[in-house]
Amino acid sequence: MTRWTRRLPLIAALLGIAFALPAQAEEADDPWPGLVQDIFNNRAMNDGSAVIGIEMPYRAEDAAIVPVTLRSKLSPADGRRIRSITLVIDRNPAPMAAKFELGADANVTEISTRVRVNNYTDVHAVAELSDGQLYVSKVYVKASGGCSAPAGKNAEEAQSRLGKMRYRQFAREEAQASRIREAQIMIGHPNNSGLQMDQVTQLYIPAFFVNQLKLTQDDSLVLSMEGGISISEDPNLRFTYVSNGAKRFRAEAKDTDGHVFRNEWDVEKPGT
């Protein structure tokens, strides 16, 4: 046996330790257990693979506007319904990106929006069902710097569009028979994260974002959102719901400076 051969077991052992340490360090640094305690009061988390789907790009093209889609995976025969969905971006400065409350009769099955991602991170979707249990799914996203990325619009342009809303509907083949609608709400707002720097003054721009949004068909809740700094500039929600025959669709949004924005549209003639 050569000297090199005799050393192979030692080298293998050392390499094993070297490769194991980063994995152990990453596992030890996992913020999720602490977030379960802080956000969900340490409630039990069940496997959500058959309950809630979360779709995001593995590698984001732009960390300031990363698309995310949350989708119910409950079968029509399941007697339960999703009451709320909480979106958590684990390694963002404020991890709870948004919490969506779903109307009892609106049957919202899909929500899409755009978020900021500040570091390579797990992103969790936690659904609370009508049985009172929490179900979680996750994806991993490679993106960085989204929360501190400069705004896409200058201050004057952002101010001129502040609170302006648009409502759109999209045609669906099954809509006529099932009354399923697919719609989109867009709100003009800088949604400043508090981590962006003014390029002229070199001072941080104070946090200023839409923190509440409520959508109704007439007075019946479709969905509401409690938002944070992780929601991208000009908040944008696309979602499905079941029409109750209402003639008007209404939106009310509030921001962290106390502004209240309201608008409503004829369901059959959506637009600005």
Side-chain angles (χ1 to χ4, degrees):
M1 181 181 292
T2 66
R3 181 184 304 174
W4 172 254
T5 306
R6 288 196 298 270
R7 289 179 178 175
L8 281 177
L10 176 59
I11 293 171
L14 291 173
L15 285 173
I17 294 171
F19 282 110
L21 285 176
Q24 291 172 359
E26 185 175 344
E27 184 177 342
D29 191 39
D30 181 6
W32 179 241
L35 295 174
V36 171
Q37 180 174 345
D38 294 344
I39 299 174
F40 303 100
N41 199 28
N42 235 13
R43 293 171 62 189
M45 292 283 166
N46 300 291
D47 176 17
S49 57
V51 174
I52 183 73
I54 175 170
E55 298 172 12
M56 297 179 75
Y58 176 66
R59 188 180 297 275
E61 292 184 10
D62 186 337
I65 47 171
V66 183
V68 55
T69 296
L70 307 168
R71 183 176 288 113
S72 170
K73 299 175 76 173
L74 292 176
S75 73
D78 197 317
R80 302 169 300 172
R81 72 172 186 88
I82 296 178
R83 288 178 177 169
S84 69
I85 304 172
T86 304
L87 179 64
V88 181
I89 305 174
D90 293 18
R91 297 187 182 274
N92 269 15
M96 196 181 91
K99 182 175 182 179
F100 301 95
E101 299 281 352
L102 310 185
D105 302 316
N107 195 28
V108 174
T109 56
E110 187 173 311
I111 303 171
S112 297
T113 189
R114 305 174 306 187
V115 296
R116 299 175 169 121
V117 178
N118 213 52
N119 296 285
Y120 286 22
T121 185
D122 284 330
V123 181
H124 288 84
V126 179
E128 180 170 12
L129 267 57
S130 51
D131 63 6
Q133 299 295 308
L134 299 181
Y135 298 82
V136 61
S137 295
K138 73 173 181 178
V139 294
Y140 186 78
V141 178
K142 288 187 173 183
S144 61
C147 292
S148 58
K153 299 176 179 65
N154 61 41
E156 291 78 11
E157 184 181 0
Q159 186 62 35
S160 70
R161 301 177 68 254
L162 188 68
K164 290 186 177 179
M165 298 185 189
R166 292 184 62 200
Y167 169 62
R168 297 175 59 194
Q169 282 189 55
F170 302 89
R172 293 177 67 99
E173 291 182 3
E174 72 272 35
Q176 196 66 31
S178 65
R179 306 178 84 174
I180 294 175
R181 297 186 184 273
E182 184 172 2
Q184 183 180 36
I185 288 286
M186 295 156 281
I187 307 171
H189 203 286
N191 255 38
N192 297 326
S193 67
L195 301 174
Q196 298 149 306
M197 185 175 289
D198 187 301
Q199 300 303 303
V200 177
T201 65
Q202 297 296 296
L203 299 175
Y204 284 102
I205 301 168
F208 174 47
F209 55 91
V210 173
N211 58 351
Q212 294 180 50
L213 175 63
K214 184 178 181 181
L215 307 177
T216 61
Q217 43 183 336
D218 283 344
D219 295 321
S220 179
L221 179 67
V222 174
L223 68 87
S224 64
M225 180 188 78
E226 177 187 346
I229 67 169
S230 298
I231 298 296
S232 300
E233 180 180 4
D234 295 332
N236 183 322
L237 286 185
R238 185 164 173 164
F239 52 94
T240 60
Y241 71 102
V242 173
S243 169
N244 64 359
K247 300 300 183 184
R248 307 292 289 174
F249 194 92
R250 300 188 172 106
E252 178 179 284
K254 299 178 182 179
D255 68 22
T256 51
D257 276 13
H259 301 116
V260 179
F261 313 107
R262 297 186 180 92
N263 209 336
E264 62 178 74
W265 302 266
D266 186 325
V267 170
E268 303 305 324
K269 300 176 182 179
T272 303

